Amino acid sequence: MGQRDGCEHMAAWDLSVAVEDLGTDAPPITVSVTSDLHIGGVILKLVEKSQVKRDWSDHALWWEQKQQWLLRTAWTLEKCGIQADAGLIFMPQHKPLRLGLPNGLNLRLRVCFSGPVFRTVLGICKMLNIRRPEELSLLRPVEEKKRKKVRDLSEELYDLTEVPLTSGTHYDIIMSPSTLMSRPCLYNGMPAHFADSPKTEKVYKMLSVSQPAPAPEAIAKLYRPASVVDKAHIHSRWLDSSRSLMEQGVQENDRLWLRFKYYCFHDLEPKYDAVRLTQMYEQARWAILLEDIDCTEEEMLLFGAIQYHINKLSLSEPQTMTSSPAMDDLDSALQCLEVKLDGANSSCEAAPDVNVAGQKFCIKLLIPAPEGMNEVYLRCENEEQYSSWMAACRLASKGKSLADSSFQSEVQSIRSFLAMQQTNPNTHTDDSMSINTHSLVSPRYSKKYKAKQLTPRILEAYQNVAQLSLTDALLRFLQIWQALPDFGISLVVVRFKGSRKDEVLGITPNRLIRIDLGVGEVVKTWRYNNMRQWNVNWDIRQVAIEFDGNVNIAFSCVTADCKIVHEFIGGYIFMSTRSREQSDTLNEELFHKLTGGHEAL
């Protein structure tokens, strides 16, 4: 028959592949293939025929029509379903990406476009020296209004695409079920790959030290959510952690934001977490300045005072973060008035509702009920009564009694926080000329008060924080941020099964909240530790959750893909599995199992 023995059933054809490195004008390379040739064999033929001597190890095949990578090099063309008309491109897996950070810094990095976004974020955080990368993710930026070209020129882009990742950063990122995330080895307070040149040292300083506040006019021009629905739309922009950048339409040199996505910050160590702590503070600061989270006038003045103090210290003493004995572990560093549930069986939850100037001392309790959580308010007569009751509620939330030895320290911690909000009649106004008041508060208060009205009030609050070190000031800011009633709530507009109107679902580190869109009030609360299972019907895009007591809810998502909600829930459950004893280990396989979809818990 003229055919070799055993080849009767093999299809043979010419396969055209575009090689990105040769340029857009270069014709594709044609190689002769058979259906049983594996992907690795195709790549070998391409490299040989290109006659270009270089390191091709980072290259892979991208299938344009299917929008997918062909990374399994042992698979045959037949198994992949590739035929002669397949539009394949041979390209690098790592490409430049423009990245906007919480502090407004714009970087150009070389990142992985072929692996899951979760792994891409690991690589970005490794480079930037941000530990606990599972708490962050990437999202598409909010569309900005047409801006004048002059303003565009002011947005400097810092190029780090040539920065090598050396062994000086001792993060052994092993892509296995458990990823080792050890503490970095620092040189002059920074990773080795930033200490190579004055240019990169400057960038690292900008990453790890808070930047001066912009002018009030600049703040006023930035996007601010005008409604609950606006806030919900922001969360529709998160990328899918299970899929690659390319698979989600992200192209080379596109712009994305890196942000903290999960509001449960684990194993915070100021000595090693200079960048992480600074970026966390910046994200909190901008959430407050852009009114993404609500706070009282009194709280805004305190936030303004701490910002002012941090700005002064950042300019005068740009030292690396130091560890304070009082703030050494996460519980004391980030807890403050926000109750942290230590045990899976803990179910009493308390939140402060305080206005010192108005002599309002209330405690909001969330009490478990068969169909969710009921809210109960306790009104105290004075600071002393409030401090004792709040301390008691804190201990109860941890399964402890009033006889516990930590009761008095809890009381003292609460009294210290209340004292910070009290005005000081002996305010020194020496700084009144240098303070840029309207840059420290949200536009709502900039419009409400003149600078000469705000300045003395901020300086009064400043007297209560003026003795804090830079590290402690950052931590104090984060403590008060975490104590706000709306802290850590990610909103999504949904339609509950059987309902004819849209409602808002709030996703928090430990519970789901059903919010009436019309009046903005909480209708029902469900805690994760009462959740028996959840799954997604991917055909009709509906999330279904079963709780203890035969309570079942189901909803479809209006402002975001249901995968985003699924990932939030699974992500928070994953965060709750982390422990201090295993703080150097990241179970990537478990994260994907809980967030990847298509399987019930």
Side-chain angles (χ1 to χ4, degrees):
M1 298 290 291
Q3 290 181 320
R4 289 176 295 169
D5 188 34
C7 295
E8 291 85 359
H9 301 292
M10 284 197 303
W13 70 89
D14 286 342
L15 181 66
S16 294
V17 181
V19 179
E20 191 174 80
D21 297 68
L22 300 181
T24 54
D25 295 333
I29 292 178
T30 302
V31 293
S32 297
V33 299
T34 54
S35 58
D36 69 340
L37 183 65
H38 51 75
I39 297 296
V42 175
I43 291 175
L44 186 60
K45 283 176 176 283
L46 281 171
V47 170
E48 289 176 347
K49 200 162 184 180
S50 73
Q51 297 183 334
V52 176
K53 292 184 178 181
R54 56 158 297 167
D55 181 4
W56 295 97
S57 60
D58 186 50
H59 284 59
L61 289 170
W62 168 253
W63 194 350
E64 185 68 26
Q65 293 103 317
K66 293 287 186 74
Q67 289 288 291
Q68 70 181 47
W69 289 94
L70 302 174
L71 300 177
R72 293 184 173 91
T73 54
W75 280 27
T76 64
L77 296 179
E78 184 177 35
K79 189 171 183 178
C80 293
I82 294 175
Q83 297 177 350
D85 61 349
L88 302 184
I89 305 174
F90 191 49
M91 64 170 69
Q93 298 178 62
H94 288 77
K95 297 167 176 282
L97 179 77
R98 291 184 298 146
L99 196 67
L101 300 185
N103 68 341
L105 196 65
N106 292 295
L107 304 177
R108 190 168 177 262
L109 304 173
R110 194 171 298 278
V111 307
C112 180
F113 273 69
S114 62
V117 162
F118 182 83
R119 196 170 295 175
T120 300
V121 172
L122 291 187
I124 291 172
C125 290
K126 174 187 176 184
M127 183 184 196
L128 301 182
N129 191 28
I130 300 176
R131 297 190 318 124
R132 312 316 310 184
E134 67 273 16
E135 297 168 357
L136 298 93
S137 193
L138 298 172
L139 71 162
R140 302 179 195 276
V142 174
E143 286 94 354
E144 299 172 356
K145 297 176 181 177
K146 291 184 179 179
R147 300 172 303 177
K148 294 181 180 178
K149 292 183 179 180
V150 177
R151 193 173 165 222
D152 283 335
L153 295 174
S154 69
E155 294 184 351
E156 191 167 356
L157 189 67
Y158 296 91
D159 196 329
L160 298 178
T161 52
E162 301 303 319
V163 173
L165 280 178
T166 68
S167 59
T169 302
H170 289 167
Y171 281 126
D172 298 321
I173 297 199
I174 304 166
M175 297 314 173
S176 63
S178 294
T179 298
L180 186 65
M181 302 298 292
S182 58
R183 293 176 180 85
C185 183
L186 304 178
Y187 298 85
N188 295 324
M190 67 185 71
H193 54 273
F194 275 103
D196 284 345
S197 72
K199 173 190 169 185
T200 51
E201 283 187 12
K202 176 188 175 184
V203 174
Y204 190 78
K205 180 181 175 183
M206 296 176 74
L207 289 170
S208 55
V209 179
S210 176
Q211 299 302 299
E217 301 79 31
I219 296 177
K221 290 179 181 177
L222 294 174
Y223 174 82
R224 298 200 310 278
S227 65
V228 172
V229 174
D230 282 349
K231 293 179 182 180
H233 274 289
I234 291 172
H235 294 289
S236 68
R237 302 176 182 278
W238 291 108
L239 294 185
D240 187 336
S241 294
S242 310
R243 299 164 60 217
S244 71
L245 292 177
M246 286 283 286
E247 288 169 329
Q248 299 181 69
V250 179
Q251 302 295 320
E252 180 176 338
N253 283 317
D254 277 359
R255 186 164 181 256
L256 295 176
W257 285 350
L258 179 71
R259 295 290 187 271
F260 289 91
K261 178 178 180 179
Y262 299 101
Y263 294 92
C264 41
F265 311 121
H266 182 62
D267 185 33
L268 189 67
E269 297 187 41
K271 182 178 179 181
Y272 300 105
D273 287 332
V275 177
R276 182 183 176 204
L277 185 57
T278 299
Q279 298 300 325
M280 200 181 290
Y281 158 73
E282 291 285 353
Q283 185 162 329
R285 175 168 78 133
W286 282 105
I288 291 161
L289 288 179
L290 298 180
E291 299 170 4
D292 190 43
I293 185 170
D294 293 329
C295 64
T296 65
E297 186 171 307
E298 200 170 43
E299 289 162 340
M300 180 61 77
L301 293 172
L302 183 53
F303 281 128
I306 302 177
Q307 284 181 78
Y308 174 60
H309 184 53
I310 290 172
N311 290 345
K312 287 184 66 177
L313 293 180
S314 298
L315 291 172
S316 61
E317 44 175 294
Q319 78 281 9
T320 55
M321 301 291 176
T322 56
S323 180
S324 163
M327 297 290 185
D328 263 344
D329 68 328
L330 183 67
D331 289 337
S332 59
L334 291 180
Q335 187 170 338
C336 193
L337 295 181
E338 176 71 11
V339 175
K340 180 179 182 297
L341 302 177
D342 286 340
N345 296 323
S346 299
S347 58
C348 175
E349 186 171 337
D353 186 4
V354 176
N355 184 320
V356 177
Q359 290 296 293
K360 175 187 177 184
F361 303 101
C362 293
I363 302 170
K364 182 173 73 172
L365 294 178
L366 291 175
I367 310 296
E371 295 185 358
M373 303 288 286
N374 290 333
E375 291 188 2
V376 176
Y377 279 84
L378 298 179
R379 181 176 292 277
C380 302
E381 293 183 0
N382 50 46
E383 292 182 29
E384 290 72 20
Q385 190 182 64
Y386 170 81
S387 300
S388 298
W389 273 93
M390 190 64 187
C393 292
R394 275 191 184 183
L395 293 180
S397 73
K398 301 175 185 178
K400 299 177 181 179
S401 71
L402 292 179
D404 190 86
S405 59
S406 62
F407 176 69
Q408 287 302 325
S409 63
E410 291 280 6
V411 172
Q412 189 56 46
S413 171
I414 295 165
R415 286 177 177 170
S416 298
F417 175 71
L418 293 176
M420 288 177 59
Q421 296 196 44
Q422 293 175 341
T423 58
N424 188 340
N426 300 317
T427 300
H428 299 285
T429 57
D430 299 342
D431 296 313
S432 59
M433 297 302 291
S434 63
I435 183 170
N436 189 358
T437 309
H438 282 155
S439 291
L440 303 175
V441 297
S442 67
R444 180 190 308 172
Y445 295 103
S446 294
K447 294 175 182 176
K448 186 176 180 181
Y449 297 107
K450 294 180 179 178
K452 63 181 181 182
Q453 294 173 299
L454 282 173
T455 299
R457 297 180 66 188
I458 290 178
L459 289 176
E460 281 179 4
Y462 168 67
Q463 300 307 311
N464 294 312
V465 299
Q467 303 306 314
L468 294 176
S469 68
L470 176 57
T471 300
D472 285 351
L474 291 168
L475 291 170
R476 190 65 59 87
F477 191 97
L478 293 173
Q479 290 170 357
I480 304 168
W481 174 51
Q482 286 200 303
L484 296 176
D486 292 339
F487 166 78
I489 302 178
S490 302
L491 302 174
V492 181
V493 177
V494 300
R495 176 74 62 90
F496 280 90
K497 187 176 181 180
S499 175
R500 294 184 177 181
K501 63 178 183 177
D502 290 346
E503 295 177 75
V504 175
L505 182 74
I507 309 169
T508 82
N510 55 17
R511 65 189 186 274
L512 298 175
I513 305 171
R514 185 174 182 174
I515 303 170
D516 187 299
L517 190 55
V519 294
E521 291 183 356
V522 174
V523 177
K524 191 65 68 176
T525 304
W526 303 278
R527 292 178 58 85
Y528 297 148
N529 59 6
N530 293 329
M531 187 187 295
R532 300 188 66 178
Q533 68 170 0
W534 91 94
N535 57 64
V536 179
N537 184 326
W538 299 103
D539 294 327
I540 60 173
R541 318 299 289 178
Q542 186 180 75
V543 181
I545 308 176
E546 179 185 348
F547 295 93
D548 292 340
N550 294 320
V551 175
N552 293 277
I553 64 171
F555 54 84
S556 57
C557 302
V558 178
T559 56
D561 191 279
C562 59
K563 174 61 166 67
I564 291 177
V565 174
H566 173 72
E567 194 171 301
F568 259 118
I569 296 172
Y572 273 127
I573 290 175
F574 171 80
M575 302 299 156
S576 71
T577 67
R578 301 178 298 176
S579 66
R580 188 170 296 278
E581 293 73 27
Q582 298 175 324
S583 61
D584 285 344
T585 303
L586 178 60
N587 193 335
E588 183 180 354
E589 184 180 46
L590 178 61
F591 179 87
H592 286 302
K593 185 177 180 180
L594 289 169
T595 63
H598 300 287
E599 288 185 7
L601 177 64

